[in-house]
Amino acid sequence: QKEVEQNSGPLSVPEGAIASLNCTYSDRGSQSFFWYRQYSGKSPELIMSIYSNGDKEDGRFTAQLNKASQYVSLLIRDSQPSDSATYLCAVNQETSGSRLTFGEGTQLTVNP
Amino acid sequence: GAVVSQHPSRVICKSGTSVKIECRSLDFQATTMFWYRQFPKQSLMLMATSNEGSKATYEQGVEKDKFLINHASLTLSTLTVTSAHPEDSSFYICSARLGPSSQPQHFGDGTRLSIL
């Protein structure tokens, strides 16, 4: 089992739809969770941080965390073609010390 | 806020050359900086973690003598790829973090290294 696992994708949604990106993690003691967006050929940029169970909203983005299920997700409402990118789930696992453990990423394409 | 500058953005050089990459946190003091490399269509691979004033901690399989890391101040870390060869060609990305591991990492723009 991978430490941080994401839907491999690619995920394709029409413009205006909700894109749902999922991530599971293995270390039950994890406390900090992050979503990054990476455009092709560019470096990752932070979209959301989430630390507590429940939903956290920032504009069109909503992160959801369920520690009991070891599951974190990212919803993108009113998806735009400019949202087309690879989305990386990152977890600060208790067993990893200072490091972040990244998932393999989910490639999202929003079709006009 | 949380801007990380990485320079140069692209390097093309001959085999055997040593290449130095700089990573600066512009508007915050980074307690910890990280160096990653990324191959096409793959996720980030952590190479090393560095804290200001102390030796870097390298991940398993990463050669310390090949990839020299210096973290001289709270705003600057450098990665030197010594005697680079074509297999070292990759996308190198630094990140910086303010505070404890619960805080996010902020990434530089990356350096695309091509060794001929």
Side-chain angles (χ1 to χ4, degrees), chain A residues 9-15 17-19 21 79 84 106-112:
Chain A
L11 175 65
S12 183
V13 300
E15 185 174 355
I18 296 175
L21 303 159
S79 295
S84 299
T106 300
Q107 186 178 339
L108 171 67
T109 299
V110 180
N111 300 303

Side-chain angles (χ1 to χ4, degrees), chain A residues 32 36 38 43 51 98-99 103, chain B residues 38 43 59 97 102 105 108:
Chain A
S32 309
Y36 288 86
Q38 186 174 24
S43 66
Y51 304 95
S98 178
R99 294 168 290 179
Chain B
Q38 186 176 36
S43 192
E59 295 299 301
R97 188 183 71 210
S102 60
Q105 293 179 24

Side-chain angles (χ1 to χ4, degrees), chain A residues 31-34 36 38 40-46 49 51 88 92 97-100 102-105 107, chain B residues 32 34 36 38 41-44 46 49 51 59 91 93 97 101-110 112:
Chain A
Q31 297 294 326
S32 309
F33 307 87
F34 309 96
Y36 288 86
Q38 186 174 24
S40 181
K42 303 294 185 182
S43 66
E45 59 177 314
L46 180 68
S49 306
Y51 304 95
L88 300 169
N92 176 233
S98 178
R99 294 168 290 179
L100 280 180
F102 286 87
E104 294 290 316
Q107 186 178 339
Chain B
T32 309
F34 304 83
Y36 296 85
Q38 186 176 36
K41 306 290 185 185
Q42 295 186 22
S43 192
L44 300 167
L46 180 65
T49 302
N51 293 290
E59 295 299 301
F91 190 41
I93 315 172
R97 188 183 71 210
S101 56
S102 60
Q103 295 301 304
Q105 293 179 24
H106 300 278
F107 288 87
D109 288 338
R112 195 160 300 281

